[in-house]
Amino acid sequence: THVVTDNCRGCRYTDCVASCPVACFHVNEVRVYIDPAVCIDCSACIPACPVHAIFEEFDLADDQQHWIRINAEAAQRYPVIRTRLAPLDGADARRQQLGL
Ligand code: F3S
């Protein structure tokens, strides 16, 4: 499955959602999560994210492994999102802060 990690926080660009051929993304106030039961591992979202927040689970660094469980649990809790939203205020500032 694919996993949304640290960098998706306070920007919510949702280009990932627009790239997704299934409805695997779920959204809250600050970020998105991927439902591992729905993701078809197409990888379209990886290059779509301006802050490089999404990884294939086997490519996750050791300190990012916890995001596998967090995505699975949060996807049950938050509503599905099927279309792109306007990024959050401050998204571009945050992106610059990350050096991206
Ligand atoms: Fe988050 Fe990147 Fe999507 S910032 S909402 S994972 S495009």
PDB file of all heavy atoms in Angstrom, residues 4-5 7-17 25 27 30-33 45 48-54, ligand 1:
ATOM      1  N   VAL A   4       0.810   8.074   3.571  1.00  0.00           N
ATOM      2  CA  VAL A   4       1.048   9.517   3.678  1.00  0.00           C
ATOM      3  C   VAL A   4       1.799   9.766   4.989  1.00  0.00           C
ATOM      4  O   VAL A   4       1.372   9.292   6.047  1.00  0.00           O
ATOM      5  CB  VAL A   4      -0.272  10.315   3.664  1.00  0.00           C
ATOM      6  CG1 VAL A   4       0.023  11.805   3.504  1.00  0.00           C
ATOM      7  CG2 VAL A   4      -1.197   9.840   2.549  1.00  0.00           C
ATOM      8  N   THR A   5       2.897  10.500   4.928  1.00  0.00           N
ATOM      9  CA  THR A   5       3.775  10.645   6.094  1.00  0.00           C
ATOM     10  C   THR A   5       3.831  12.098   6.588  1.00  0.00           C
ATOM     11  O   THR A   5       3.024  12.943   6.195  1.00  0.00           O
ATOM     12  CB  THR A   5       5.186  10.128   5.753  1.00  0.00           C
ATOM     13  OG1 THR A   5       5.743  10.956   4.727  1.00  0.00           O
ATOM     14  CG2 THR A   5       5.139   8.680   5.259  1.00  0.00           C
ATOM     15  N   ASN A   7       5.308  14.964   6.070  1.00  0.00           N
ATOM     16  CA  ASN A   7       5.285  16.235   5.342  1.00  0.00           C
ATOM     17  C   ASN A   7       3.892  16.725   5.006  1.00  0.00           C
ATOM     18  O   ASN A   7       3.710  17.899   4.734  1.00  0.00           O
ATOM     19  CB  ASN A   7       6.114  16.135   4.057  1.00  0.00           C
ATOM     20  CG  ASN A   7       7.600  16.302   4.334  1.00  0.00           C
ATOM     21  OD1 ASN A   7       8.009  16.333   5.498  1.00  0.00           O
ATOM     22  ND2 ASN A   7       8.395  16.393   3.284  1.00  0.00           N
ATOM     23  N   CYS A   8       2.910  15.838   4.964  1.00  0.00           N
ATOM     24  CA  CYS A   8       1.531  16.280   4.745  1.00  0.00           C
ATOM     25  C   CYS A   8       0.981  16.763   6.088  1.00  0.00           C
ATOM     26  O   CYS A   8       0.418  16.002   6.871  1.00  0.00           O
ATOM     27  CB  CYS A   8       0.661  15.152   4.199  1.00  0.00           C
ATOM     28  SG  CYS A   8      -1.033  15.682   3.852  1.00  0.00           S
ATOM     29  N   ARG A   9       1.173  18.063   6.341  1.00  0.00           N
ATOM     30  CA  ARG A   9       0.685  18.624   7.599  1.00  0.00           C
ATOM     31  C   ARG A   9       0.590  20.130   7.424  1.00  0.00           C
ATOM     32  O   ARG A   9       1.589  20.800   7.211  1.00  0.00           O
ATOM     33  CB  ARG A   9       1.630  18.288   8.745  1.00  0.00           C
ATOM     34  CG  ARG A   9       1.115  18.729  10.104  1.00  0.00           C
ATOM     35  CD  ARG A   9       2.011  18.285  11.247  1.00  0.00           C
ATOM     36  NE  ARG A   9       3.308  18.937  11.221  1.00  0.00           N
ATOM     37  CZ  ARG A   9       4.473  18.314  11.050  1.00  0.00           C
ATOM     38  NH1 ARG A   9       4.509  17.020  10.888  1.00  0.00           N
ATOM     39  NH2 ARG A   9       5.592  18.981  11.035  1.00  0.00           N
ATOM     40  N   GLY A  10      -0.624  20.638   7.438  1.00  0.00           N
ATOM     41  CA  GLY A  10      -0.804  22.077   7.343  1.00  0.00           C
ATOM     42  C   GLY A  10      -0.723  22.632   5.929  1.00  0.00           C
ATOM     43  O   GLY A  10      -0.724  23.837   5.745  1.00  0.00           O
ATOM     44  N   CYS A  11      -0.651  21.769   4.927  1.00  0.00           N
ATOM     45  CA  CYS A  11      -0.651  22.285   3.551  1.00  0.00           C
ATOM     46  C   CYS A  11      -1.848  21.735   2.772  1.00  0.00           C
ATOM     47  O   CYS A  11      -2.569  22.464   2.147  1.00  0.00           O
ATOM     48  CB  CYS A  11       0.661  21.979   2.836  1.00  0.00           C
ATOM     49  SG  CYS A  11       1.381  20.381   3.177  1.00  0.00           S
ATOM     50  N   ARG A  12      -2.036  20.427   2.863  1.00  0.00           N
ATOM     51  CA  ARG A  12      -3.195  19.769   2.254  1.00  0.00           C
ATOM     52  C   ARG A  12      -3.380  20.192   0.791  1.00  0.00           C
ATOM     53  O   ARG A  12      -4.443  20.642   0.390  1.00  0.00           O
ATOM     54  CB  ARG A  12      -4.441  20.072   3.086  1.00  0.00           C
ATOM     55  CG  ARG A  12      -5.396  18.891   3.171  1.00  0.00           C
ATOM     56  CD  ARG A  12      -6.567  19.132   4.054  1.00  0.00           C
ATOM     57  NE  ARG A  12      -7.349  20.284   3.680  1.00  0.00           N
ATOM     58  CZ  ARG A  12      -8.423  20.741   4.330  1.00  0.00           C
ATOM     59  NH1 ARG A  12      -8.844  20.122   5.406  1.00  0.00           N
ATOM     60  NH2 ARG A  12      -9.069  21.792   3.916  1.00  0.00           N
ATOM     61  N   TYR A  13      -2.324  19.980   0.024  1.00  0.00           N
ATOM     62  CA  TYR A  13      -2.392  20.354  -1.394  1.00  0.00           C
ATOM     63  C   TYR A  13      -3.445  19.547  -2.159  1.00  0.00           C
ATOM     64  O   TYR A  13      -4.039  20.030  -3.108  1.00  0.00           O
ATOM     65  CB  TYR A  13      -1.026  20.170  -2.045  1.00  0.00           C
ATOM     66  CG  TYR A  13      -0.065  21.293  -1.745  1.00  0.00           C
ATOM     67  CD1 TYR A  13       0.992  21.114  -0.862  1.00  0.00           C
ATOM     68  CD2 TYR A  13      -0.229  22.544  -2.330  1.00  0.00           C
ATOM     69  CE1 TYR A  13       1.871  22.151  -0.575  1.00  0.00           C
ATOM     70  CE2 TYR A  13       0.635  23.587  -2.050  1.00  0.00           C
ATOM     71  CZ  TYR A  13       1.685  23.383  -1.176  1.00  0.00           C
ATOM     72  OH  TYR A  13       2.537  24.408  -0.891  1.00  0.00           O
ATOM     73  N   THR A  14      -3.621  18.321  -1.790  1.00  0.00           N
ATOM     74  CA  THR A  14      -4.588  17.389  -2.396  1.00  0.00           C
ATOM     75  C   THR A  14      -4.399  17.122  -3.891  1.00  0.00           C
ATOM     76  O   THR A  14      -5.308  16.631  -4.558  1.00  0.00           O
ATOM     77  CB  THR A  14      -6.064  17.770  -2.108  1.00  0.00           C
ATOM     78  OG1 THR A  14      -6.360  19.071  -2.610  1.00  0.00           O
ATOM     79  CG2 THR A  14      -6.376  17.711  -0.631  1.00  0.00           C
ATOM     80  N   ASP A  15      -3.221  17.432  -4.422  1.00  0.00           N
ATOM     81  CA  ASP A  15      -2.909  16.969  -5.788  1.00  0.00           C
ATOM     82  C   ASP A  15      -2.914  15.441  -5.820  1.00  0.00           C
ATOM     83  O   ASP A  15      -3.200  14.826  -6.846  1.00  0.00           O
ATOM     84  CB  ASP A  15      -1.542  17.486  -6.221  1.00  0.00           C
ATOM     85  CG  ASP A  15      -1.511  19.000  -6.283  1.00  0.00           C
ATOM     86  OD1 ASP A  15      -2.012  19.555  -7.273  1.00  0.00           O
ATOM     87  OD2 ASP A  15      -1.013  19.620  -5.328  1.00  0.00           O
ATOM     88  N   CYS A  16      -2.571  14.848  -4.691  1.00  0.00           N
ATOM     89  CA  CYS A  16      -2.583  13.385  -4.568  1.00  0.00           C
ATOM     90  C   CYS A  16      -3.983  12.840  -4.853  1.00  0.00           C
ATOM     91  O   CYS A  16      -4.145  11.843  -5.554  1.00  0.00           O
ATOM     92  CB  CYS A  16      -2.126  12.974  -3.175  1.00  0.00           C
ATOM     93  SG  CYS A  16      -3.064  13.782  -1.845  1.00  0.00           S
ATOM     94  N   VAL A  17      -4.977  13.502  -4.286  1.00  0.00           N
ATOM     95  CA  VAL A  17      -6.361  13.062  -4.452  1.00  0.00           C
ATOM     96  C   VAL A  17      -6.763  13.121  -5.927  1.00  0.00           C
ATOM     97  O   VAL A  17      -7.387  12.200  -6.459  1.00  0.00           O
ATOM     98  CB  VAL A  17      -7.306  13.939  -3.600  1.00  0.00           C
ATOM     99  CG1 VAL A  17      -8.759  13.580  -3.859  1.00  0.00           C
ATOM    100  CG2 VAL A  17      -6.962  13.809  -2.128  1.00  0.00           C
ATOM    101  N   PHE A  25      -8.281   8.134  -0.514  1.00  0.00           N
ATOM    102  CA  PHE A  25      -7.866   9.212   0.395  1.00  0.00           C
ATOM    103  C   PHE A  25      -8.980   9.635   1.345  1.00  0.00           C
ATOM    104  O   PHE A  25     -10.154   9.711   0.964  1.00  0.00           O
ATOM    105  CB  PHE A  25      -7.403  10.433  -0.403  1.00  0.00           C
ATOM    106  CG  PHE A  25      -6.028  10.247  -0.982  1.00  0.00           C
ATOM    107  CD1 PHE A  25      -5.862   9.751  -2.273  1.00  0.00           C
ATOM    108  CD2 PHE A  25      -4.896  10.537  -0.240  1.00  0.00           C
ATOM    109  CE1 PHE A  25      -4.602   9.567  -2.808  1.00  0.00           C
ATOM    110  CE2 PHE A  25      -3.626  10.359  -0.765  1.00  0.00           C
ATOM    111  CZ  PHE A  25      -3.475   9.876  -2.053  1.00  0.00           C
ATOM    112  N   VAL A  27      -9.674  12.637   4.606  1.00  0.00           N
ATOM    113  CA  VAL A  27      -9.188  13.975   4.934  1.00  0.00           C
ATOM    114  C   VAL A  27      -9.650  14.442   6.314  1.00  0.00           C
ATOM    115  O   VAL A  27     -10.756  14.141   6.741  1.00  0.00           O
ATOM    116  CB  VAL A  27      -9.640  14.967   3.836  1.00  0.00           C
ATOM    117  CG1 VAL A  27     -11.162  15.126   3.831  1.00  0.00           C
ATOM    118  CG2 VAL A  27      -8.943  16.319   3.950  1.00  0.00           C
ATOM    119  N   VAL A  30      -6.159  19.075   8.684  1.00  0.00           N
ATOM    120  CA  VAL A  30      -4.779  19.456   8.360  1.00  0.00           C
ATOM    121  C   VAL A  30      -4.065  18.562   7.354  1.00  0.00           C
ATOM    122  O   VAL A  30      -3.011  18.928   6.844  1.00  0.00           O
ATOM    123  CB  VAL A  30      -3.905  19.520   9.641  1.00  0.00           C
ATOM    124  CG1 VAL A  30      -4.359  20.671  10.529  1.00  0.00           C
ATOM    125  CG2 VAL A  30      -3.912  18.212  10.398  1.00  0.00           C
ATOM    126  N   ARG A  31      -4.615  17.384   7.036  1.00  0.00           N
ATOM    127  CA  ARG A  31      -3.857  16.453   6.207  1.00  0.00           C
ATOM    128  C   ARG A  31      -4.753  15.363   5.630  1.00  0.00           C
ATOM    129  O   ARG A  31      -5.952  15.344   5.884  1.00  0.00           O
ATOM    130  CB  ARG A  31      -2.724  15.826   7.024  1.00  0.00           C
ATOM    131  CG  ARG A  31      -3.227  15.155   8.333  1.00  0.00           C
ATOM    132  CD  ARG A  31      -2.121  14.343   8.976  1.00  0.00           C
ATOM    133  NE  ARG A  31      -1.797  13.220   8.129  1.00  0.00           N
ATOM    134  CZ  ARG A  31      -0.559  12.876   7.777  1.00  0.00           C
ATOM    135  NH1 ARG A  31       0.470  13.522   8.249  1.00  0.00           N
ATOM    136  NH2 ARG A  31      -0.364  11.851   6.974  1.00  0.00           N
ATOM    137  N   VAL A  32      -4.140  14.460   4.859  1.00  0.00           N
ATOM    138  CA  VAL A  32      -4.885  13.322   4.309  1.00  0.00           C
ATOM    139  C   VAL A  32      -4.227  12.006   4.720  1.00  0.00           C
ATOM    140  O   VAL A  32      -3.064  11.972   5.148  1.00  0.00           O
ATOM    141  CB  VAL A  32      -4.998  13.390   2.769  1.00  0.00           C
ATOM    142  CG1 VAL A  32      -5.673  14.674   2.321  1.00  0.00           C
ATOM    143  CG2 VAL A  32      -3.649  13.200   2.099  1.00  0.00           C
ATOM    144  N   TYR A  33      -4.978  10.930   4.560  1.00  0.00           N
ATOM    145  CA  TYR A  33      -4.503   9.577   4.859  1.00  0.00           C
ATOM    146  C   TYR A  33      -4.959   8.669   3.730  1.00  0.00           C
ATOM    147  O   TYR A  33      -5.950   8.940   3.059  1.00  0.00           O
ATOM    148  CB  TYR A  33      -5.118   9.070   6.163  1.00  0.00           C
ATOM    149  CG  TYR A  33      -4.856   9.947   7.356  1.00  0.00           C
ATOM    150  CD1 TYR A  33      -5.762  10.950   7.710  1.00  0.00           C
ATOM    151  CD2 TYR A  33      -3.713   9.779   8.132  1.00  0.00           C
ATOM    152  CE1 TYR A  33      -5.530  11.766   8.803  1.00  0.00           C
ATOM    153  CE2 TYR A  33      -3.472  10.591   9.239  1.00  0.00           C
ATOM    154  CZ  TYR A  33      -4.379  11.576   9.563  1.00  0.00           C
ATOM    155  OH  TYR A  33      -4.160  12.388  10.639  1.00  0.00           O
ATOM    156  N   CYS A  45       0.133   9.004  -6.978  1.00  0.00           N
ATOM    157  CA  CYS A  45       0.151  10.096  -6.005  1.00  0.00           C
ATOM    158  C   CYS A  45       1.560  10.499  -5.589  1.00  0.00           C
ATOM    159  O   CYS A  45       1.767  11.616  -5.105  1.00  0.00           O
ATOM    160  CB  CYS A  45      -0.653   9.708  -4.770  1.00  0.00           C
ATOM    161  SG  CYS A  45      -0.104   8.158  -3.989  1.00  0.00           S
ATOM    162  N   ALA A  48       2.827  13.366  -7.516  1.00  0.00           N
ATOM    163  CA  ALA A  48       1.841  14.453  -7.501  1.00  0.00           C
ATOM    164  C   ALA A  48       1.997  15.358  -6.278  1.00  0.00           C
ATOM    165  O   ALA A  48       1.648  16.532  -6.325  1.00  0.00           O
ATOM    166  CB  ALA A  48       0.430  13.876  -7.539  1.00  0.00           C
ATOM    167  N   CYS A  49       2.521  14.847  -5.195  1.00  0.00           N
ATOM    168  CA  CYS A  49       2.589  15.624  -3.946  1.00  0.00           C
ATOM    169  C   CYS A  49       3.758  16.609  -3.958  1.00  0.00           C
ATOM    170  O   CYS A  49       4.909  16.204  -4.043  1.00  0.00           O
ATOM    171  CB  CYS A  49       2.728  14.692  -2.749  1.00  0.00           C
ATOM    172  SG  CYS A  49       2.931  15.625  -1.211  1.00  0.00           S
ATOM    173  N   PRO A  50       3.458  17.909  -3.833  1.00  0.00           N
ATOM    174  CA  PRO A  50       4.514  18.935  -3.884  1.00  0.00           C
ATOM    175  C   PRO A  50       5.496  18.860  -2.722  1.00  0.00           C
ATOM    176  O   PRO A  50       6.582  19.418  -2.809  1.00  0.00           O
ATOM    177  CB  PRO A  50       3.732  20.253  -3.827  1.00  0.00           C
ATOM    178  CG  PRO A  50       2.321  19.903  -4.148  1.00  0.00           C
ATOM    179  CD  PRO A  50       2.123  18.499  -3.697  1.00  0.00           C
ATOM    180  N   VAL A  51       5.120  18.203  -1.628  1.00  0.00           N
ATOM    181  CA  VAL A  51       6.027  18.127  -0.480  1.00  0.00           C
ATOM    182  C   VAL A  51       6.539  16.704  -0.223  1.00  0.00           C
ATOM    183  O   VAL A  51       7.024  16.394   0.866  1.00  0.00           O
ATOM    184  CB  VAL A  51       5.375  18.713   0.798  1.00  0.00           C
ATOM    185  CG1 VAL A  51       5.207  20.222   0.672  1.00  0.00           C
ATOM    186  CG2 VAL A  51       4.041  18.046   1.099  1.00  0.00           C
ATOM    187  N   HIS A  52       6.424  15.848  -1.228  1.00  0.00           N
ATOM    188  CA  HIS A  52       6.967  14.482  -1.158  1.00  0.00           C
ATOM    189  C   HIS A  52       6.552  13.747   0.116  1.00  0.00           C
ATOM    190  O   HIS A  52       7.385  13.183   0.817  1.00  0.00           O
ATOM    191  CB  HIS A  52       8.499  14.499  -1.252  1.00  0.00           C
ATOM    192  CG  HIS A  52       9.013  15.247  -2.452  1.00  0.00           C
ATOM    193  ND1 HIS A  52       8.515  15.045  -3.719  1.00  0.00           N
ATOM    194  CD2 HIS A  52       9.961  16.189  -2.569  1.00  0.00           C
ATOM    195  CE1 HIS A  52       9.142  15.849  -4.566  1.00  0.00           C
ATOM    196  NE2 HIS A  52      10.018  16.562  -3.902  1.00  0.00           N
ATOM    197  N   ALA A  53       5.264  13.776   0.395  1.00  0.00           N
ATOM    198  CA  ALA A  53       4.766  13.171   1.633  1.00  0.00           C
ATOM    199  C   ALA A  53       4.404  11.694   1.485  1.00  0.00           C
ATOM    200  O   ALA A  53       4.212  11.009   2.490  1.00  0.00           O
ATOM    201  CB  ALA A  53       3.538  13.935   2.120  1.00  0.00           C
ATOM    202  N   ILE A  54       4.293  11.191   0.239  1.00  0.00           N
ATOM    203  CA  ILE A  54       3.740   9.845   0.044  1.00  0.00           C
ATOM    204  C   ILE A  54       4.806   8.858  -0.422  1.00  0.00           C
ATOM    205  O   ILE A  54       5.596   9.158  -1.320  1.00  0.00           O
ATOM    206  CB  ILE A  54       2.567   9.882  -0.959  1.00  0.00           C
ATOM    207  CG1 ILE A  54       1.518  10.912  -0.504  1.00  0.00           C
ATOM    208  CG2 ILE A  54       1.930   8.490  -1.085  1.00  0.00           C
ATOM    209  CD1 ILE A  54       0.347  11.067  -1.456  1.00  0.00           C
TER     210      ILE A  54
HETATM  211 FE1  F3S B   1      -0.856  16.123   1.549  1.00  0.00          FE
HETATM  212 FE2  F3S B   1       0.746  16.087  -0.531  1.00  0.00          FE
HETATM  213 FE3  F3S B   1      -1.673  15.198  -0.759  1.00  0.00          FE
HETATM  214  S1  F3S B   1       0.565  17.725   0.971  1.00  0.00           S
HETATM  215  S2  F3S B   1      -2.849  16.400   0.668  1.00  0.00           S
HETATM  216  S3  F3S B   1      -0.103  14.297   0.503  1.00  0.00           S
HETATM  217  S4  F3S B   1      -0.562  16.348  -2.295  1.00  0.00           S
END
